[in-house]
Amino acid sequence: MRPRVRHWLSGWLVSLALVGAISAVIALLTQPPRTSGLAVLYLLAVLPVAVYWGVVFATLVAVLSAAAFDLLFIAAPFGFRPADSHDLLDLAVFLLTAVVVSQLAARSRQQALASARLAKEQAALRRVATLVAQAVPPSEIFDTVTREIGRLSGADVARLERYEDDGTVTGVAAWSRDGDVRLAVGTRLALTGMSIAAQVRQTGRSARVDSFADAPGPIAREARELGIRASVGGPIRVGGRLWGVIAASSRRAAPFPADTESQIGEFTELVATAVSNAVGRGQLAASRARVVASTDETRRQIERDLHDGIQQRLVTLALDLQGISEAVPADRQDLLTQLSAVEDGVRVAIDELREISRGIHPAVLSQGGLGPALKSLARRSGVPVQLDARVLQRFPQAVEVAAYYAVAEALTNAAKHAHASVAHVELEVRDGTLQLSVHDDGVGGADQARGSGIVGLTDRIEALGGTMALTSPPGGGTSIAVELPVGSAAPLGDHLAQAGSHRDAGI
């Protein structure tokens, strides 16, 4: 059975089971059911369907639920005519609510999946970038990149290959999900017949193969022996020259997602940097900075999308629900109670979405700068904060983001792990360097090697040419000291004017 058919069939079976189960529960609640508002229980069927099968499927389930409630509990026995106009209004409100809730549930899951995927990609990129910056042997970087690409793309096997001058290709690293790596490594393979390496060599661009059945050539034959059915890969360029290719392969019949090539492309520059040992440490740091900048830009884009998209839709929905509530007769307290509950749920969703947006990328940082952003952070801190941040200028965007997250991580650790009663945050600019310090009076004993958050911050700050030092003697509190080069900082008014012009332009 095809995956798509199996997916839809399982959706229908689950939907029918849920609608039937909820109908049975409603029948047990009251005999005979007299409250049309009980139809809201069918949201328990709509929500899981929306999350796992999408909005269209959930809408069909909502219609099915309304029909089932009308058939079983409202109309004449086994009829579909509502008993009165109030029942019809109840069913209409339920359908509207079910459709809106299913859309919100589906979008929330998509956003959660996108955020999780982004976090995995950026964590993998950071691990590779860190190895490149540490100038570890290229073989270690090759193994790491091959493993990370295989895992991120959902592949079964992956291989990194180097082109040779005689027209062959040599495998330099391989990875297998089950640990049984049988891909040729250290052996030259001819580029005859069908393969990702041959297509990339011919075109210089990413390529994919959806089937190796009956395909000629040694690499295609190897793929069939390993049970590989589909592959996708991209080129690695060093100094403007095509150096090699990295490919991910799957034993499943389904092709790779359309964005797999772009995923692979994120790593090829890092591989090229590792290969080209002639580049200086400055270029290696620049590579890490590009990863940081890419992460920050993605965070800003997600925050803008949440604010301008889903959040605005939720606000509009809240207003629509308020209008519906005002139109409901005063004697329909049961319906008014249900609508009020939905309105409260939407308002809670708006508040939670704002909190998520702030965690992804604080809008106040982009709009007001580091000083106002730190004040906002201090107000929300789980530990009292004494803030001394008298800065009247704006700094480079990457510097402001790094400083903000350094304070955020320190305050979070002070509240969660250090059991501190107060934290002191100081910020000043001296000799073209932003100097930031955070100290708490907690239990101390923090270990930088065991904290992924601190490690990530160190990578971010060092990528900008800065330094971060952690001091945490047992019983003596914890301190971090950050120095970031800022160059020439612009007056705060200039940035506010630019932000205003951007808003006017709709950016």
Side-chain angles (χ1 to χ4, degrees):
M1 184 181 296
R2 293 182 178 180
R4 184 176 182 84
V5 175
R6 184 167 56 249
H7 176 78
W8 278 86
L9 181 58
S10 63
W12 274 117
L13 291 176
V14 171
S15 300
L16 292 173
L18 289 173
V19 172
I22 293 172
S23 298
V25 170
I26 293 175
L28 293 174
L29 288 176
T30 173
Q31 287 290 344
R34 306 293 300 174
T35 303
S36 300
L38 288 174
V40 75
L41 292 177
Y42 284 105
L43 287 177
L44 297 177
V46 174
L47 280 173
V49 172
V51 169
Y52 292 102
W53 284 275
V55 175
V56 174
F57 216 115
T59 302
L60 295 176
V61 174
V63 175
L64 176 63
S65 300
F69 191 81
D70 180 37
L71 170 66
L72 299 174
F73 305 118
I74 296 180
F78 300 102
F80 284 97
R81 183 176 58 82
D84 54 41
S85 59
H86 292 304
D87 293 327
L88 182 61
L89 178 60
D90 282 348
L91 290 178
V93 171
F94 163 72
L95 279 174
L96 173 63
T97 303
V99 171
V100 171
V101 168
S102 67
Q103 291 178 337
L104 293 176
R107 289 173 181 169
S108 297
R109 181 173 185 266
Q110 291 173 355
Q111 191 64 52
L113 291 175
S115 299
R117 181 178 179 182
L118 172 64
K120 289 181 180 179
E121 289 181 2
Q122 296 303 328
L125 282 167
R126 186 169 63 247
R127 287 191 290 269
V128 176
T130 301
L131 292 178
V132 173
Q134 292 174 347
V136 301
S139 60
E140 183 177 345
I141 295 177
F142 295 160
D143 289 339
T144 301
V145 168
T146 306
R147 180 178 65 252
E148 297 291 358
I149 285 181
R151 289 175 174 174
L152 283 176
S153 63
D156 294 306
V157 295
R159 181 165 62 189
L160 191 150
E161 302 167 330
R162 180 183 66 243
Y163 290 118
E164 306 295 348
D165 294 336
D166 61 359
T168 60
V169 66
T170 302
V172 295
W175 169 88
S176 173
R177 184 170 298 277
D178 57 13
D180 180 21
V181 180
R182 289 180 290 158
L183 288 171
V185 174
T187 302
R188 293 195 179 193
L189 298 171
L191 291 178
T192 56
M194 178 183 291
S195 68
I196 294 295
Q199 292 187 27
V200 171
R201 182 64 179 267
Q202 293 171 1
T203 65
R205 299 190 299 269
S206 298
R208 61 171 55 215
V209 175
D210 293 331
S211 174
F212 287 96
D214 301 324
I219 298 179
R221 183 169 56 254
E222 177 192 51
R224 288 193 297 272
E225 291 173 354
L226 295 174
I228 293 173
R229 306 181 68 172
S231 294
V232 62
I236 299 173
R237 296 184 178 278
V238 177
R241 182 179 65 88
L242 185 62
W243 178 88
V245 59
I246 187 164
S249 304
S250 172
R251 296 187 174 102
R252 299 179 297 276
F256 282 94
D259 62 346
T260 305
E261 288 91 340
S262 63
Q263 274 189 322
I264 293 175
E266 293 284 347
F267 290 86
T268 55
E269 182 180 356
L270 294 173
V271 177
T273 303
V275 174
S276 181
N277 291 326
V279 300
R281 294 285 298 179
Q283 288 178 303
L284 293 174
S287 176
R288 297 173 69 193
R290 284 195 294 274
V291 173
V292 171
S294 175
T295 304
D296 293 339
E297 179 57 32
T298 303
R299 285 175 175 269
R300 282 190 294 273
Q301 184 61 51
I302 291 176
E303 187 276 332
R304 287 194 295 265
D305 290 343
L306 288 175
H307 179 272
D308 298 336
I310 298 177
Q311 184 173 318
Q312 295 303 320
R313 294 190 187 99
L314 284 174
V315 172
T316 301
L317 174 61
L319 295 175
D320 291 342
L321 288 172
Q322 183 177 355
I324 293 174
S325 299
E326 294 173 353
V328 173
D331 60 340
R332 296 306 313 281
Q333 287 301 318
D334 56 335
L335 186 56
L336 288 171
T337 300
Q338 295 172 37
L339 288 172
S340 177
V342 175
E343 288 182 56
D344 291 342
V346 172
R347 291 191 182 95
V348 170
I350 292 173
D351 293 338
E352 291 178 349
L353 189 60
R354 285 172 177 163
E355 191 65 27
I356 291 173
S357 300
R358 189 182 294 117
I360 292 174
H361 184 82
V364 65
L365 183 63
S366 300
Q367 298 169 0
L370 190 56
L374 293 182
K375 291 179 182 178
S376 175
L377 189 62
R379 286 193 296 269
R380 304 194 314 272
S381 172
V383 61
V385 177
Q386 294 183 359
L387 176 63
D388 182 9
R390 296 185 297 270
V391 291
L392 300 177
Q393 67 263 44
R394 294 296 301 267
F395 306 103
Q397 182 174 270
V399 171
E400 289 187 339
V401 172
Y404 177 89
Y405 283 120
V407 176
E409 179 71 17
L411 294 181
T412 298
N413 290 338
K416 288 186 176 181
H417 307 297
H419 309 295
S421 62
V422 66
H424 302 270
V425 179
E426 297 182 359
L427 184 71
E428 65 176 344
V429 179
R430 183 183 302 169
D431 299 328
T433 301
L434 178 66
Q435 298 185 349
L436 169 69
S437 66
V438 184
H439 174 74
D440 66 60
D441 61 352
V443 298
D447 185 356
Q448 181 171 340
R450 294 183 300 178
S452 59
I454 295 296
V455 172
L457 279 174
T458 302
D459 291 342
R460 174 188 288 273
I461 290 168
E462 289 180 354
L464 300 175
T467 61
M468 186 176 79
L470 173 69
T471 304
S472 185
T478 299
S479 299
I480 66 167
V482 176
E483 293 188 356
L484 285 163
V486 296
S488 58
L492 183 60
D494 293 349
H495 285 267
L496 291 177
Q498 293 173 10
S501 64
H502 283 218
R503 286 193 295 270
D504 294 341
I507 295 178

